[in-house]
Amino acid sequence: MRTPLCDRLGIDLPIIGFTPSEHVAAALSRAGGLGVLGCVRFNDAAELDRVLTWMDENTGGKPYGVDIVMPAKVPAEGTQVDLAKLIPDGHRAFVDRVLKELSVPPLPDDTDERAGVLGWLHSVARSHVEVALNHPIKLIANALGSPPVDVIGQCHDRGVPVAALAGKAEHAVRHVENGVDFVVAQGYEAGGHTGEIASMVLVPEIVDAVDVPVLAAGGIGSGRQMAAALALGASGVWMGSMWLATEEYLQTMGESVAMQQALVAASSSDTVRTRIYTGKPARLLKTRWTEAWAAPDAPEPLPMPLQNLLVSPAHNRIHAANDPSVVSMPVGQIVGRMNRVRPVADVVAELVSGYEEALSRLDKTR
């Protein structure tokens, strides 16, 4: 399973795992892959610094990376209050009505409802980069394509390679022209922000279009799919959804029991691609929350970052409510394989054994 990517990143397995959980990221790095910690949940740079210090101490000396959310073009951005004034009252009323209809209770009075909001802002993402570069990270990835060129240069000056997600070959070419070192070819099947091209088509298109290592993402949750990704020319795989149904995820996100229950019960057809999460197309678990936004009387989602500012307090209430029928969670179509909660190490071991079995079957066809 070892590829040149492993040597470049100092890992044993070409498995890169995105996760908002530091416990998952550390466990994946210890298991031989590269855990990539999503930073968007951190409003406070000091909090991110504390978590990365924990990562330094709990990865067993193994490498890890971070993922930021930063558009290449700097958006017009004032204070959080300024942005909040741009959200129409009708959208706020719709969210309040839906939460009431879904019987989602308010948060306790002492809860900070801004959690998960500021991390979507460009200025906060830049602070994430600055904090991360003070730690021994081995990769910075950007969930919105190429970071600004000066940020890429900042990372390169510290010897840290940059990865960017792409949903089209033309996007991948532009990323490389901007100085990106790895391209994550993320297919339509993936969770979170996605394009409209399926992985089987997208991965070889991007491999042929660029001269940097390509990671395959979207619809990957087994060793067979890993083998297929490498056969298509990828140097490794980028996985996100599979780590949501792990024991370590609950160590970070302790309120996510209902979310895991919903994921384990879901089939591969129980997702929907919509703009209601951030304002950009993203694949989510299909629940009563997504159905409410698909109703004829629902307003059109707002552009990023306004949509996220609108719904983040609602998401906090939904997660706290612990109702599997309502949860709002990005997840890919691979959710149909996530039929039980288990340790990260078990997921990795199954990926390796499944990969070896796939190669063995192929050997018999020669």
Side-chain angles (χ1 to χ4, degrees):
M1 188 184 287
R2 193 173 184 86
T3 71
L5 177 77
C6 297
D7 296 327
R8 188 163 179 184
L9 293 176
I11 56 181
D12 300 320
L13 304 168
I15 302 172
I16 317 299
F18 162 79
T19 174
S21 163
E22 63 269 24
H23 292 90
V24 171
L28 177 56
S29 290
R30 292 195 303 268
L34 185 78
V36 176
L37 178 68
C39 295
V40 75
R41 71 181 174 93
F42 297 101
N43 294 331
D44 182 2
E47 181 187 5
L48 175 60
D49 187 53
R50 287 192 295 273
V51 170
L52 292 183
T53 298
W54 183 93
M55 290 281 294
D56 298 339
E57 298 169 350
N58 287 275
T59 50
K62 300 288 187 176
Y64 71 91
V66 298
D67 180 274
I68 58 173
V69 177
M70 179 182 289
K73 296 181 180 179
V74 180
E77 180 183 314
T79 65
Q80 185 189 3
V81 174
D82 293 334
L83 288 170
K85 291 180 179 178
L86 300 178
I87 298 174
D89 291 339
H91 281 68
R92 295 187 186 279
F94 172 79
V95 169
D96 290 341
R97 174 171 65 80
V98 169
L99 291 174
K100 183 176 181 180
E101 291 174 351
L102 297 180
S103 300
V104 178
L107 290 172
D109 292 338
D110 60 350
T111 303
D112 180 7
E113 292 202 17
R114 296 181 306 159
V117 175
L118 298 181
W120 292 94
L121 302 183
H122 190 90
S123 57
V124 177
R126 281 184 174 270
S127 73
H128 291 163
V129 172
E130 292 171 1
V131 168
L133 289 176
N134 288 323
H135 292 264
I137 60 171
K138 297 302 181 183
L139 182 71
I140 284 186
N142 186 25
L144 292 180
S146 300
V149 173
D150 70 291
V151 173
I152 296 175
Q154 182 183 3
C155 296
H156 287 170
D157 288 345
R158 302 292 288 274
V160 177
V162 178
L165 274 67
K168 291 183 178 180
E170 61 195 74
H171 297 165
V173 170
R174 187 158 61 245
H175 297 341
V176 174
E177 290 174 347
N178 289 340
V180 164
D181 305 279
F182 304 104
V183 173
V184 181
Q186 180 168 276
Y188 174 82
E189 306 96 321
H193 297 117
T194 74
E196 298 179 350
I197 304 173
S199 298
M200 183 65 75
V201 175
L202 180 67
V203 173
E205 283 189 353
I206 290 183
V207 167
D208 291 345
V210 300
D211 58 358
V212 301
V214 174
L215 302 172
I220 299 173
S222 72
R224 283 176 289 172
Q225 290 158 325
M226 279 193 62
L230 297 187
L232 292 173
S235 298
V237 297
W238 173 282
M239 298 169 56
S241 296
M242 289 297 292
W243 316 114
L244 296 172
T246 60
E247 294 175 1
E248 288 86 350
Y249 190 84
L250 282 184
Q251 290 181 259
T252 304
M253 311 292 184
E255 76 284 0
S256 298
V257 174
M259 181 271 290
Q260 287 192 333
Q261 291 173 343
L263 294 176
V264 168
S267 72
S268 57
S269 62
D270 290 327
T271 67
V272 59
R273 187 169 173 269
T274 173
R275 293 196 300 113
I276 69 171
Y277 200 75
T278 67
K280 289 183 176 291
R283 186 172 299 282
L284 311 178
L285 186 68
K286 190 185 299 181
T287 66
R288 292 195 294 152
W289 172 251
T290 62
E291 290 172 353
W293 278 94
D297 63 340
E300 285 295 313
L302 301 170
M304 179 184 277
L306 299 182
Q307 181 67 17
N308 189 259
L309 290 171
L310 168 67
V311 299
S312 281
H315 290 169
N316 292 338
R317 289 174 57 181
I318 287 169
H319 290 313
N322 229 21
D323 182 350
S325 73
V326 180
V327 295
S328 177
M329 189 67 204
V331 70
Q333 292 178 328
I334 199 64
V335 68
R337 293 189 62 89
M338 296 159 54
N339 51 21
R340 65 187 187 281
V341 176
R342 49 191 171 145
V344 166
D346 287 2
V347 177
V348 173
E350 186 175 281
L351 289 169
V352 173
S353 63
Y355 175 85
E356 293 171 345
E357 290 170 5
L359 292 190
S360 178
R361 284 194 299 273
L362 289 174
D363 282 341
K364 294 177 182 177
T365 66
R366 292 192 300 177

